[in-house]
Amino acid sequence: MDTITIPTAADMHIHLRQGSLMNMVTPYVAEGGVSICYVMPNLQPTVSTTEQALAYKAELEALAPKVTFYMSLYLGPSLTPEEIRKAAKAGVRGVKSYPRGVTTNSESGIESYDIYYPVFKAMEEEGMVLNLHGEIPSDHEKNVCVMNAEEKFLGHLKQIHTDFPKLKIILEHATTEAAVNMVKSLGDTVGCTITVHHLQLVVDDWAGKCHNFCKPVAKFPSDRAALRKVIKEGHPRFFLGTDSAPHPSHKKEGPEACAGVFTTPLVLPYLATILESFDALDQLRGFACDFGRAFYEVKDEKWVGEVKLVRTNKDFNTPETYAFGGEGVDGESGKVVPFMAGKALAWKIASIN
Ligand code: DOR
Ligand code: ZN
């Protein structure tokens, strides 16, 4: 098989940033073969109100007019049940929860879920989705660190699902066998996104290699095997959410050591290459196109195209960098090093119609 034709994909977890970085990244959504994406709200300041979400959406639509942007709000103390109802009416699709301090712009993240139960109740009634960054903060006294932070979070997922069984909840960017098992064990209202990079990386690939560092960190080979297995099974509650998270290279290489892997421009070529490496190419369409749309009950997509992927002779390489800025938007400029920079990919996009 040397060609694959699928509908344009659904990326249900993406960071599109703001300012000059947003200007560079956003047009690549459609170029990477994606026509609908679910946009993360961890900007500065965070996207916490309906007005902010709509203003951000308008900026993104101006940069990528064919793409459908599903917007989210940042869970924090200022978010009220009233704001949830207003947001739902305006088409905002969900709310993202970041535990405090675990990743980029999570300083105003949450410390306990109980106080948000009135918000969750309103979300359940309005059909909004709760997106969970599933890690607890490191606590060395209690032997909690990045390697077990996800596993130790899973009790929160189970508790929220038990208390709000009709609320759609997504465990975002799962990285562990324990997470896969937990999501499988819960009801149909619980879904799970898996990134492209977590299907490829294990801990050895990021320790000392800043461009593969992301949160949650890639774990053991057995964890990666569990992520691959659930995709091979074609489990419909596990779907693509790339967590593509561009940072200027100097902020990943420098003392900030920003977490995030940038995959947006080549998401389908990466995914086809990686799925084929573990004999799951037949799941590309379900995982990248169908299951995410079904979970979000997408009915209002502006455009769905057809993507044709063709096999390369391993003569198609990921760019080393993507430059941004220099157009005077916010004075920021630099370059972003993408996932698998400079590496050959087995598949590339031939056309998108
Ligand atoms: O690696 C990550 N980068 N994980 C996150 O949860 C946030 C993201 C970002 O915004 O940079
Ligand atoms: Zn993310």
Side-chain angles (χ1 to χ4, degrees), residues 40 126 156 171 203 227 257 272 293:
M40 289 297 129
E126 297 291 337
H156 292 297
L171 179 66
V203 56
L227 301 177
R293 285 185 171 99

Side-chain angles (χ1 to χ4, degrees), residues 13 15 17 40 42 96 98 102-105 133 135 173 197-198 213-217 243-247 252 258-261:
H13 183 137
H15 296 267
R17 308 306 193 203
M40 289 297 129
N42 61 334
K96 175 71 186 290
Y98 290 94
V102 298
T103 191
T104 308
N105 298 346
H133 183 115
E135 291 187 291
H173 42 52
H197 51 280
H198 289 122
F213 175 60
C214 61
K215 291 296 300 293
V217 298
D243 197 20
S244 176
H247 289 278
K252 286 189 71 66
C258 289
V261 173

Side-chain angles (χ1 to χ4, degrees), residues 7-12 33-36 70 168 239 285-286 288-299 301 303-305:
T8 41
D11 180 354
M12 292 316 195
V34 165
S35 59
I36 180 165
Y70 271 12
K168 284 200 175 185
F239 48 86
R285 178 180 173 150
C289 310
D290 299 339
F291 302 157
R293 285 185 171 99
F295 191 88
Y296 276 87
E297 300 177 66
V298 174
K299 295 183 200 84
E301 207 167 335
W303 162 75
V304 184

